[in-house]
Amino acid sequence: MYKKHFNIPVFIPELACPFQCIYCDQSKISGVEKLPDDQEIVNKIESHLLTIPRGSEVQLAYFGGNFTGISLEQQEHFLKLITPYISEGRISGIRLSTRPDYINDEVLSLLKRHHVRSIELGAQSFDDEVLRKSRRGHTAEVTAAASQRIREYGFSLGLQMMIGLPGDKLEKALNTAHRIVELGADDTRIYPTLVIKGTVLETMFMKKVFTPLKLEEAISWCAEIIPVFEAAGTNILKVGLHPSEGLLSGDDLVAGPFHPSFRELVETRIWRALLEPLTQRSAKSVEISVPPGQINYAVGYGGTNKKMLETKYLNVKFKTSDQLSKRLFSIRLSE
Ligand code: SF4
């Protein structure tokens, strides 16, 4: 039977991070924050468990970008905190996110012993020029090697990517998506690069040596990237705001393709391309049947796809059909 899946998120900040990724405001993320104490974590788990329906699959998610960058002792401590919940069957496993260059056999053995099921790496790009210009401090080869090792140990693998970093192009972003698929990632997240106050990227933006993607560009890039993952069966966990950016206030955003409904805009774009040929047909009315989960995207954000069709048809009706899945749709034209 299908079980509903829930993550209980616990943020582990990257204390004294030795890196200088140009898009990151370290003082915000690592300077002010501190590691959560045990009671805080336990309280969080207990309050989440109260709201999660019985019989659901629950994972504890240590996110924050670099779990394996903290000491082995601290990692073990945080992992052991979850063991009682796993023994009682209240939590099924742990997922965490980290940097590709903080993966080695010692770390992987530790994570394996302590019920970690999924490891997500911040790959960001598989183009070395983009990585270098973004001062990520590792190459694409390092991400590939870490990914292979994670899979050899039997973990589920997640690879996150960013689009619109310095030196990035649509072809490079598409290549990154294809590499993520080739490396066997089970899931992915796509983050458009934003210019955040206090970052190197902000200085570059002010000096006009970096221009972020326009919202329109970020939408059309994602509309091309998403089908690559869908064709391969890679689960797309997120398209939009980076988790660390979620911690920032609205005033921290300087520039970039931010939109609170970013994913909906991308899905609208993908549906637009599918529905556009209908504007070449001729009839008075059109009824479009779409899969149940897709109707809002098919109609489009703000009804834009429907409005597009209304320029051609007098009556445009969308309805759902349980017979359809993915983005398959059927049409009925009438006079
Ligand atoms: S994004 Fe880069 S600089 Fe920022 S905390 Fe993570 S590793 Fe450090």
Side-chain angles (χ1 to χ4, degrees):
M1 200 187 88
Y2 173 76
K3 277 189 176 183
K4 232 173 161 197
H5 183 97
F6 290 88
N7 280 335
I8 301 177
V10 176
F11 183 70
I12 301 290
E14 301 170 54
L15 299 179
C17 171
F19 299 96
Q20 291 155 352
C21 308
I22 57 166
Y23 51 85
C24 171
D25 177 4
Q26 281 208 45
S27 65
K28 270 263 167 30
I29 293 174
S30 53
V32 182
E33 299 283 337
K34 60 174 185 49
L35 288 174
D37 68 32
D38 297 359
Q39 200 51 51
E40 252 176 84
I41 297 177
V42 168
N43 291 346
K44 185 154 204 181
I45 294 173
E46 292 295 345
S47 65
H48 271 77
L49 285 174
L50 279 178
T51 64
I52 294 174
R54 277 188 182 280
S56 307
E57 169 159 359
V58 185
Q59 282 200 333
L60 190 287
Y62 280 128
F63 77 103
N66 197 11
F67 184 85
T68 58
I70 58 176
S71 74
L72 285 170
E73 292 71 29
Q74 281 171 320
Q75 290 178 55
E76 186 160 26
H77 176 81
F78 284 125
L79 297 172
K80 276 184 165 171
L81 261 184
I82 314 306
T83 309
Y85 293 96
I86 291 174
S87 310
E88 292 165 11
R90 298 171 77 199
I91 289 180
S92 62
I94 300 169
R95 64 181 302 131
L96 52 87
S97 54
T98 196
R99 284 177 56 98
D101 47 354
Y102 276 66
I103 290 294
N104 57 48
D105 286 327
E106 198 179 9
V107 161
L108 291 176
S109 308
L110 175 82
L111 302 182
K112 196 79 198 170
R113 282 199 304 280
H114 293 285
H115 310 284
V116 173
R117 300 262 194 280
S118 313
I119 302 177
E120 279 188 47
L121 298 180
Q124 319 313 12
S125 173
F126 274 89
D127 183 89
D128 280 337
E129 191 202 357
V130 172
L131 291 172
R132 186 177 47 76
K133 287 187 168 170
S134 306
R135 301 191 202 158
R136 273 293 289 172
H138 65 81
T139 60
E141 185 46 44
V142 169
T143 313
S147 302
Q148 275 154 10
R149 211 76 190 109
I150 287 169
R151 280 175 47 81
E152 281 159 16
Y153 270 78
F155 294 103
S156 156
L157 170 69
L159 288 171
Q160 308 170 352
M161 65 180 286
M162 293 178 71
I163 59 167
L165 285 167
D168 204 10
K169 294 187 176 124
L170 176 58
E171 307 86 77
K172 291 182 177 186
L174 283 168
N175 180 56
T176 292
H178 283 291
R179 289 291 290 133
I180 287 174
V181 166
E182 282 160 17
L183 287 163
D186 299 281
D187 40 59
T188 188
R189 297 176 201 258
I190 310 167
Y191 299 124
T193 304
L194 301 177
V195 180
I196 302 296
K197 219 174 241 176
T199 62
V200 175
L201 214 50
E202 184 194 14
T203 314
M204 290 169 67
F205 173 71
M206 294 304 181
K207 287 185 180 164
K208 299 191 182 342
V209 290
F210 171 73
T211 311
L213 292 180
K214 294 187 174 60
L215 181 61
E216 168 57 33
E217 286 173 304
I219 292 167
S220 66
W221 284 32
C222 288
E224 291 202 41
I225 291 167
I226 283 177
V228 173
F229 291 127
E230 287 181 343
T234 313
N235 194 16
I236 303 168
L237 298 176
K238 173 106 190 165
V239 182
L241 201 64
H242 192 276
S244 61
E245 289 151 7
L247 301 169
L248 305 167
S249 78
D251 303 341
D252 293 314
L253 178 67
V254 177
F258 172 75
H259 192 286
S261 304
F262 185 77
R263 174 121 195 205
E264 210 175 330
L265 291 172
V266 176
E267 297 287 348
T268 295
R269 178 61 53 86
I270 295 173
W271 269 101
R272 185 186 176 90
L274 296 172
L275 298 175
E276 223 156 21
L278 290 180
T279 59
Q280 305 305 316
R281 306 281 287 267
S282 116
K284 197 166 156 200
S285 306
V286 62
E287 186 180 85
I288 303 155
S289 300
V290 301
Q294 293 288 327
I295 187 141
N296 289 343
Y297 301 144
V299 171
Y301 182 79
T304 47
N305 291 339
K306 188 166 186 240
K307 285 177 193 157
M308 168 185 78
L309 294 172
E310 281 169 347
T311 63
K312 183 74 190 177
Y313 299 90
L314 213 53
N315 304 303
V316 178
K317 191 176 166 203
F318 283 85
K319 62 178 211 170
T320 59
S321 164
D322 293 336
Q323 309 297 312
L324 297 166
S325 63
K326 299 186 176 172
R327 289 198 197 85
L328 291 175
F329 66 98
S330 62
I331 59 163
R332 209 161 54 123
L333 299 170
S334 55
E335 288 302 332

